[in-house]
Amino acid sequence: MRSATTILGIIHERGKQRLPLERVSRLLFNRDLYLMAYGKIYRNNGATTPGSTPETVDEMSLQKIDTIIEALRSERYRWAPTRRVYIEKKNSTKKRPLSMPTWSDKLFQEVIRLILESYFEPTFSNFSHGFRPGRGCHTALRQIDDNWHGVNWFIEGDIQACFDSLSHEFLMQALAEHIHDGRFLRLIRELLRAGYLEEWRYNATVSGAPQGGIVSPILSNIYLSKFDDYVENTLIPMYTKGARRKKNHEYDNLLCQGYRLRKRGQYTQAIKARKAAQRLPSVDLYDPDYRRLKFVRYADDWLLGLTGTKKEAEDIKEQMKTFLREELKLELSDEKTLITHARTKAARFLSYHISASQDDTRQTKKKRSSNGHIRLRVPPDLLQKKCQKYQRNNKPVHRKELSNNTEYSIVAQYQSEFRGFAEYYQLANDLHRLNSLKWIMEQSLAKTLATKLKTTVKKVHKKYGATWTGDGKLYRGLQVIVPREGKKPLTAKWGGISLKRKLHAILNDHPQPFWPNRSELEKRLLADACELCGSTDRVEVHHIRALKDLEQKGRREKPLWAKVMSARKRKTLVVCWSCHRNIHAGRSVTMLQT
């Protein structure tokens, strides 16, 4: 039987060559694919979250894989309805529906996702960045920063309730164009129609891909790839003409006038002529014979950059709206689809403000160096909202909810929160503006520590103030060191995060396909022996959410199995059925003598 890596490599090559996939359902009988899928998703937080049944990643075993395969062979496998919950949307009062599949369905969905991603990834557009390996928000933004010079208008797009509105029929047609296996397609159709339980009442699904499902992101990319193809092969050629813009004759005349005046020795008038020219563009910004259209998409959010007129931008918006409604059965959100002038206002995309600079005074080597260049900026409202978390009446205050935490965890949490915000905006041209946030957070951190220790801010800085070197630079900040007997001390630092723009600290937007060899957990499971007593009777895996769950309250001694997991720093333990029952019942477990 072929290994999972070999199978996925073959599928990937067929995708690159645009050859159809056949006999895909036979691949679902390969145990190695399920082991690879298990190795990829068992670490996810959702793996220990139950769906519509109590089943989770705990008690995972080879027998469970064989049961799924046997059900597929005899065509008895049935998708269970998902459990629907609602989570709050960022910067919105609305809530997002989230579907929680059962563990067996998650595992099987990951196998399907591996197959679909291996085939379709080479076929996707370079303008698409959402839910793809090696790509993300930063690669989308970097594409804009690198290639959108000279844009006049932005068209911000958002598809209304995109993932809930995907047409099942259209999606199945898109899959059937490339996959010639009715049995495999039937499994996906049944997955889409499995329904969900909301407050334990069954609801059918007639459209959409469930948000929270492992296979949903790749299905949505397959669906929206038709949209990418339309923009790339229809709209972009339609609005691309001319090698370069025509020269601005008024600008050239003023330069020539300045040159003649300088030759005559009339330097004052020559300088005035040159300054007048600098207030004009060197080319005709609205040259009717020059057009360019740029495009980038991340999930259901997309942005177009047009070198043209506002009328053309409005026409493009209408064409996009018509295509989405008539071809993809989707609706464009009118309130979120905006047309913005690039040089006077900023478009918002992926929580960045994007604009084209206009500065006639800035020069490099006696030439204007910034006009028309893309500028990525931190939105002022988001920065202000972030600052407000650490302020009251516009002054930094302590965070009372952290007072019961240790000094180490307080410093570590502040550092983590600032690092996450700063790292996301590492492509911003005005990243230095985060210095105001840094100062506010540092004052709030010092006041939180002072409140906990019942001392003053000055004494906190005196006690925890430190300097250290990183990246060849000297940093000052706060540092908490927790000594540990026989181990390296724990260190939490506040500071040391550079606010210099980092253009190259992003994911690779042209990654090579990579399918890892067996993970350590897969090898342990294949050993088919209990790691406590050595038994080979019904071996399965015990899972916990986090290592901190092994800590016992009070002075009670840790059970033997918990000591083993703590010593190995593993959230998994391969055990036999008997030992697993004893672990969950709180009974003692006999350790194998070695």
Side-chain angles (χ1 to χ4, degrees):
M1 184 175 290
R2 288 172 173 168
S3 68
T5 302
T6 302
I7 291 172
L8 296 179
I10 294 171
I11 293 173
H12 185 79
E13 287 301 318
R14 292 191 71 85
K16 287 174 65 175
Q17 299 175 29
R18 302 296 196 274
L19 298 175
L21 274 183
E22 299 175 347
R23 300 182 178 182
V24 187
S25 56
R26 294 190 178 187
L27 303 178
L28 304 178
F29 308 149
N30 189 310
R31 181 196 270 189
D32 212 38
L33 279 171
Y34 293 85
L35 286 170
M36 178 181 282
Y38 174 48
K40 281 180 171 288
I41 66 173
Y42 81 91
R43 301 180 184 87
N44 299 350
N45 292 331
T48 54
T49 303
S52 57
T53 68
E55 182 191 18
T56 66
V57 66
D58 196 38
E59 300 184 3
M60 178 61 189
S61 64
L62 294 174
Q63 288 73 21
K64 187 166 289 189
I65 293 176
D66 293 337
T67 300
I68 295 173
I69 292 174
E70 185 56 36
L72 289 170
R73 283 185 187 278
S74 55
E75 300 189 36
R76 290 184 292 104
Y77 191 88
R78 296 294 180 269
W79 301 97
T82 59
R83 178 172 65 90
R84 174 163 288 189
V85 296
Y86 290 87
I87 58 174
E88 292 184 358
K89 283 187 175 182
K90 190 176 181 180
N91 302 324
S92 175
T93 57
K94 297 180 180 179
K95 292 191 174 182
R96 187 190 308 277
L98 193 65
S99 297
M100 312 296 292
T102 63
W103 167 250
S104 291
D105 287 353
K106 286 178 185 176
L107 183 65
F108 187 27
Q109 282 192 44
E110 176 62 15
V111 172
I112 294 176
R113 189 198 68 80
L114 287 170
I115 293 172
L116 293 179
E117 184 182 89
S118 299
Y119 181 82
F120 283 99
E121 181 59 30
T123 70
F124 289 149
S125 169
N126 283 329
F127 300 129
S128 169
H129 294 264
F131 311 128
R132 295 183 62 185
R135 294 180 180 236
C137 297
H138 286 159
T139 58
L141 294 164
R142 182 65 189 274
Q143 189 176 80
I144 294 172
D145 189 51
D146 288 345
N147 304 317
W148 287 34
H149 177 74
V151 164
N152 293 333
W153 296 95
F154 291 124
I155 307 169
E156 308 169 54
D158 182 85
I159 301 172
Q160 187 173 345
C162 176
F163 301 111
D164 296 330
S165 306
L166 302 182
S167 166
H168 290 175
E169 293 304 319
F170 183 86
L171 177 57
M172 296 310 300
Q173 290 174 11
L175 289 169
E177 290 177 10
H178 304 277
I179 301 175
H180 300 169
D181 187 328
R183 193 172 176 181
F184 181 78
L185 295 175
R186 188 163 58 250
L187 281 168
I188 295 180
R189 184 185 294 275
E190 290 171 356
L191 166 64
L192 296 172
R193 296 181 175 179
Y196 61 92
L197 296 179
E198 187 173 347
E199 295 182 353
W200 301 110
R201 290 185 178 180
Y202 176 78
N203 298 271
T205 48
V206 295
S207 66
Q211 297 185 58
I214 290 176
V215 79
S216 298
I218 184 66
L219 291 179
S220 64
N221 267 340
I222 293 170
Y223 195 103
L224 292 175
S225 64
K226 300 290 185 181
F227 177 65
D228 299 335
D229 291 343
Y230 170 72
V231 176
E232 187 172 1
N233 299 321
T234 303
L235 285 182
I236 289 180
M238 188 185 302
Y239 290 92
T240 300
K241 60 180 179 179
R244 58 184 305 167
R245 290 186 177 100
K246 293 178 182 177
K247 290 185 177 182
N248 185 347
H249 295 300
E250 187 177 356
Y251 172 84
D252 287 343
N253 291 339
L254 285 170
L255 286 184
C256 291
Q257 182 182 344
Y259 177 77
R260 288 193 298 269
L261 290 169
R262 191 164 55 252
K263 285 288 187 180
R264 296 173 192 165
Q266 299 174 339
Y267 298 109
T268 302
Q269 291 87 343
I271 291 173
K272 288 182 179 179
R274 184 173 182 82
K275 286 184 176 180
Q278 287 178 345
R279 289 193 290 268
L280 299 173
S282 61
V283 295
D284 182 1
L285 296 181
Y286 301 100
D287 180 3
D289 296 323
Y290 182 88
R291 291 291 180 267
R292 290 293 185 273
L293 183 63
K294 307 294 184 179
F295 172 65
V296 68
R297 179 177 68 83
Y298 185 92
D300 59 337
D301 294 329
W302 46 270
L303 185 68
L304 285 166
L306 173 67
T307 301
T309 64
K310 185 176 182 181
K311 176 64 169 58
E312 289 170 325
E314 292 172 345
D315 292 341
I316 291 171
K317 177 182 173 181
E318 288 302 316
Q319 291 177 66
M320 302 278 267
K321 187 174 183 178
T322 302
F323 176 82
L324 285 169
R325 182 190 298 118
E326 295 181 357
E327 300 295 330
L328 301 187
K329 315 301 180 187
L330 297 172
E331 288 294 330
L332 202 62
S333 175
D334 287 326
E335 61 181 20
K336 294 183 180 180
T337 303
L338 308 174
I339 297 176
T340 307
H341 189 261
R343 301 193 183 219
T344 58
K345 296 182 180 179
R348 179 168 288 194
F349 182 66
L350 299 179
S351 296
Y352 270 74
H353 268 176
I354 303 174
S355 61
S357 62
Q358 180 68 36
D359 187 353
D360 294 329
T361 62
R362 184 176 178 181
Q363 295 185 19
T364 302
K365 296 180 180 179
K366 297 184 179 181
K367 293 182 179 180
R368 286 175 293 182
S369 58
S370 65
N371 286 0
H373 286 277
I374 292 295
R375 290 291 180 263
L376 306 177
R377 294 185 172 91
V378 182
D381 58 323
L382 291 185
L383 182 58
Q384 182 181 6
K385 185 177 180 181
K386 186 72 174 178
C387 291
Q388 287 174 351
K389 180 179 178 181
Y390 309 95
Q391 290 180 301
R392 187 178 300 122
N393 297 326
N394 294 325
K395 292 184 178 180
V397 295
H398 73 282
R399 293 171 66 184
K400 187 177 180 180
E401 71 274 13
L402 300 181
S403 298
N404 292 328
N405 295 358
T406 64
E407 294 92 324
Y408 172 85
S409 62
I410 292 173
V411 174
Q413 182 165 343
Y414 270 82
Q415 180 79 339
S416 176
E417 291 174 359
F418 182 72
R419 182 185 294 278
F421 196 78
E423 289 294 327
Y424 184 73
Y425 287 103
Q426 62 186 321
L427 296 180
N429 294 88
D430 59 348
L431 184 62
H432 61 275
R433 292 180 55 214
L434 268 60
N435 276 309
S436 60
L437 172 64
K438 182 180 179 181
W439 182 86
I440 291 169
M441 289 185 68
E442 185 170 336
Q443 298 303 308
S444 174
L445 169 59
K447 290 182 178 182
T448 303
L449 291 173
T451 301
K452 176 178 176 58
L453 300 174
K454 297 181 180 178
T455 185
T456 64
V457 170
K458 184 177 180 180
K459 290 181 179 179
V460 166
H461 281 285
K462 186 175 181 180
K463 181 178 181 181
Y464 296 116
T467 60
W468 63 89
T469 303
D471 301 326
K473 297 180 181 179
L474 183 66
Y475 291 101
R476 289 185 176 88
L478 301 177
Q479 179 174 272
V480 176
I481 299 176
V482 181
R484 296 187 295 174
E485 186 177 351
K487 296 181 179 179
K488 186 178 179 180
L490 294 173
T491 303
K493 295 179 180 180
W494 164 258
I497 299 175
S498 174
L499 293 182
K500 184 178 179 181
R501 193 183 189 209
K502 292 173 277 190
L503 287 174
H504 302 288
I506 61 172
L507 296 170
N508 177 19
D509 58 353
H510 295 290
Q512 296 298 317
F514 172 73
W515 300 284
N517 295 324
R518 292 198 191 282
S519 66
E520 182 217 17
L521 180 57
E522 293 173 56
K523 294 176 182 177
R524 288 161 56 200
L525 181 58
L526 286 171
D528 203 27
C530 178
E531 294 177 345
L532 293 177
C533 68
S535 172
T536 58
D537 178 37
R538 296 168 65 181
V539 174
E540 51 196 32
V541 185
H542 175 61
H543 286 261
I544 58 172
R545 284 182 180 271
L547 288 174
K548 64 181 181 180
D549 295 340
L550 298 173
E551 300 299 328
Q552 296 291 323
K553 294 182 179 180
R555 298 184 178 180
R556 290 185 299 170
E557 186 180 2
K558 281 184 183 179
L560 185 60
W561 62 269
K563 289 181 179 179
V564 172
M565 296 182 76
S566 294
R568 296 177 178 178
K569 296 183 180 180
R570 293 287 184 270
K571 295 190 291 183
T572 58
L573 189 65
V574 179
V575 291
C576 64
W577 183 86
S578 177
C579 288
H580 206 179
R581 300 286 80 72
N582 289 336
I583 287 172
H584 282 290
R587 295 189 291 265
S588 61
V589 179
T590 303
M591 187 75 175
L592 175 67
Q593 298 297 323
T594 57

Short mmCIF file of all heavy atoms in Angstrom, two decimals, residues 217-236:
data_model
loop_
_atom_site.label_atom_id
_atom_site.label_comp_id
_atom_site.label_asym_id
_atom_site.label_seq_id
_atom_site.Cartn_x
_atom_site.Cartn_y
_atom_site.Cartn_z
N PRO A 217 -12.95 25.51 4.35
CA PRO A 217 -12.10 26.51 3.68
C PRO A 217 -11.67 26.12 2.28
O PRO A 217 -11.71 26.96 1.36
CB PRO A 217 -10.90 26.63 4.62
CG PRO A 217 -11.41 26.23 5.96
CD PRO A 217 -12.41 25.16 5.68
N ILE A 218 -11.27 24.87 2.06
CA ILE A 218 -10.83 24.47 0.72
C ILE A 218 -12.03 24.44 -0.23
O ILE A 218 -11.91 24.80 -1.41
CB ILE A 218 -10.11 23.09 0.76
CG1 ILE A 218 -9.56 22.72 -0.62
CG2 ILE A 218 -11.01 22.00 1.28
CD1 ILE A 218 -8.47 23.60 -1.12
N LEU A 219 -13.21 24.05 0.26
CA LEU A 219 -14.40 24.06 -0.60
C LEU A 219 -14.76 25.48 -1.02
O LEU A 219 -15.13 25.74 -2.16
CB LEU A 219 -15.58 23.40 0.12
CG LEU A 219 -15.49 21.89 0.35
CD1 LEU A 219 -16.72 21.39 1.11
CD2 LEU A 219 -15.35 21.13 -0.97
N SER A 220 -14.65 26.43 -0.08
CA SER A 220 -14.97 27.82 -0.42
C SER A 220 -13.95 28.37 -1.42
O SER A 220 -14.31 29.15 -2.31
CB SER A 220 -15.00 28.68 0.84
OG SER A 220 -13.74 28.73 1.46
N ASN A 221 -12.68 27.98 -1.31
CA ASN A 221 -11.68 28.44 -2.27
C ASN A 221 -11.94 27.86 -3.66
O ASN A 221 -11.73 28.53 -4.67
CB ASN A 221 -10.28 28.05 -1.81
CG ASN A 221 -9.61 29.15 -1.01
OD1 ASN A 221 -10.00 30.31 -1.08
ND2 ASN A 221 -8.61 28.79 -0.23
N ILE A 222 -12.38 26.60 -3.72
CA ILE A 222 -12.72 25.99 -5.01
C ILE A 222 -13.89 26.75 -5.64
O ILE A 222 -13.91 27.02 -6.84
CB ILE A 222 -13.07 24.50 -4.82
CG1 ILE A 222 -11.82 23.72 -4.39
CG2 ILE A 222 -13.64 23.91 -6.09
CD1 ILE A 222 -12.10 22.29 -3.94
N TYR A 223 -14.86 27.10 -4.80
CA TYR A 223 -16.05 27.83 -5.28
C TYR A 223 -15.64 29.21 -5.80
O TYR A 223 -16.01 29.61 -6.92
CB TYR A 223 -17.03 27.97 -4.12
CG TYR A 223 -18.43 28.38 -4.50
CD1 TYR A 223 -19.46 27.45 -4.55
CD2 TYR A 223 -18.75 29.70 -4.80
CE1 TYR A 223 -20.75 27.82 -4.88
CE2 TYR A 223 -20.03 30.08 -5.13
CZ TYR A 223 -21.03 29.13 -5.17
OH TYR A 223 -22.31 29.50 -5.50
N LEU A 224 -14.87 29.95 -5.00
CA LEU A 224 -14.52 31.32 -5.36
C LEU A 224 -13.40 31.40 -6.39
O LEU A 224 -13.08 32.50 -6.87
CB LEU A 224 -14.12 32.10 -4.10
CG LEU A 224 -15.27 32.36 -3.11
CD1 LEU A 224 -14.74 33.04 -1.86
CD2 LEU A 224 -16.37 33.20 -3.75
N SER A 225 -12.79 30.27 -6.73
CA SER A 225 -11.78 30.30 -7.79
C SER A 225 -12.40 30.71 -9.13
O SER A 225 -11.72 31.27 -10.00
CB SER A 225 -11.09 28.94 -7.92
OG SER A 225 -12.00 27.94 -8.32
N LYS A 226 -13.71 30.45 -9.31
CA LYS A 226 -14.41 30.91 -10.51
C LYS A 226 -14.44 32.45 -10.56
O LYS A 226 -14.33 33.06 -11.62
CB LYS A 226 -15.83 30.36 -10.54
CG LYS A 226 -15.92 28.85 -10.55
CD LYS A 226 -15.47 28.28 -11.88
CE LYS A 226 -15.67 26.78 -11.95
NZ LYS A 226 -15.20 26.20 -13.22
N PHE A 227 -14.59 33.05 -9.39
CA PHE A 227 -14.57 34.50 -9.28
C PHE A 227 -13.18 35.04 -9.61
O PHE A 227 -13.04 36.02 -10.36
CB PHE A 227 -14.98 34.89 -7.85
CG PHE A 227 -14.93 36.36 -7.57
CD1 PHE A 227 -15.77 37.24 -8.21
CD2 PHE A 227 -14.04 36.86 -6.64
CE1 PHE A 227 -15.73 38.60 -7.94
CE2 PHE A 227 -13.99 38.21 -6.36
CZ PHE A 227 -14.84 39.09 -7.02
N ASP A 228 -12.14 34.38 -9.09
CA ASP A 228 -10.76 34.78 -9.41
C ASP A 228 -10.50 34.69 -10.91
O ASP A 228 -9.87 35.58 -11.50
CB ASP A 228 -9.76 33.90 -8.66
CG ASP A 228 -9.91 34.00 -7.15
OD1 ASP A 228 -10.41 35.04 -6.68
OD2 ASP A 228 -9.51 33.05 -6.46
N ASP A 229 -10.96 33.61 -11.53
CA ASP A 229 -10.76 33.43 -12.97
C ASP A 229 -11.44 34.53 -13.77
O ASP A 229 -10.89 35.02 -14.78
CB ASP A 229 -11.29 32.06 -13.42
CG ASP A 229 -10.47 30.91 -12.87
OD1 ASP A 229 -9.33 31.16 -12.44
OD2 ASP A 229 -10.98 29.77 -12.85
N TYR A 230 -12.64 34.93 -13.34
CA TYR A 230 -13.37 35.99 -14.05
C TYR A 230 -12.60 37.30 -13.99
O TYR A 230 -12.44 38.00 -15.01
CB TYR A 230 -14.76 36.16 -13.42
CG TYR A 230 -15.50 37.37 -13.92
CD1 TYR A 230 -16.02 37.42 -15.22
CD2 TYR A 230 -15.68 38.49 -13.10
CE1 TYR A 230 -16.69 38.55 -15.68
CE2 TYR A 230 -16.36 39.60 -13.55
CZ TYR A 230 -16.85 39.63 -14.85
OH TYR A 230 -17.51 40.74 -15.30
N VAL A 231 -12.10 37.65 -12.81
CA VAL A 231 -11.36 38.90 -12.68
C VAL A 231 -10.05 38.83 -13.48
O VAL A 231 -9.70 39.77 -14.21
CB VAL A 231 -11.06 39.20 -11.19
CG1 VAL A 231 -10.19 40.45 -11.06
CG2 VAL A 231 -12.36 39.38 -10.42
N GLU A 232 -9.33 37.70 -13.34
CA GLU A 232 -8.01 37.59 -13.95
C GLU A 232 -8.08 37.49 -15.47
O GLU A 232 -7.24 38.07 -16.17
CB GLU A 232 -7.30 36.36 -13.37
CG GLU A 232 -5.86 36.21 -13.81
CD GLU A 232 -5.14 35.10 -13.07
OE1 GLU A 232 -5.78 34.43 -12.23
OE2 GLU A 232 -3.94 34.89 -13.34
N ASN A 233 -9.07 36.77 -15.98
CA ASN A 233 -9.10 36.50 -17.41
C ASN A 233 -10.08 37.37 -18.19
O ASN A 233 -10.04 37.38 -19.43
CB ASN A 233 -9.45 35.03 -17.65
CG ASN A 233 -8.42 34.10 -17.04
OD1 ASN A 233 -7.23 34.36 -17.08
ND2 ASN A 233 -8.89 33.00 -16.45
N THR A 234 -10.97 38.08 -17.51
CA THR A 234 -11.95 38.92 -18.20
C THR A 234 -11.75 40.40 -17.87
O THR A 234 -11.54 41.24 -18.75
CB THR A 234 -13.38 38.49 -17.86
OG1 THR A 234 -13.55 37.11 -18.22
CG2 THR A 234 -14.39 39.33 -18.62
N LEU A 235 -11.86 40.75 -16.58
CA LEU A 235 -11.82 42.15 -16.20
C LEU A 235 -10.42 42.77 -16.37
O LEU A 235 -10.29 43.88 -16.90
CB LEU A 235 -12.28 42.32 -14.75
CG LEU A 235 -13.78 42.19 -14.50
CD1 LEU A 235 -14.10 42.44 -13.03
CD2 LEU A 235 -14.58 43.16 -15.36
N ILE A 236 -9.40 42.08 -15.91
CA ILE A 236 -8.04 42.65 -15.99
C ILE A 236 -7.62 42.89 -17.44
O ILE A 236 -7.12 43.98 -17.77
CB ILE A 236 -7.03 41.77 -15.23
CG1 ILE A 236 -7.29 41.89 -13.71
CG2 ILE A 236 -5.60 42.17 -15.55
CD1 ILE A 236 -6.37 41.07 -12.85
#
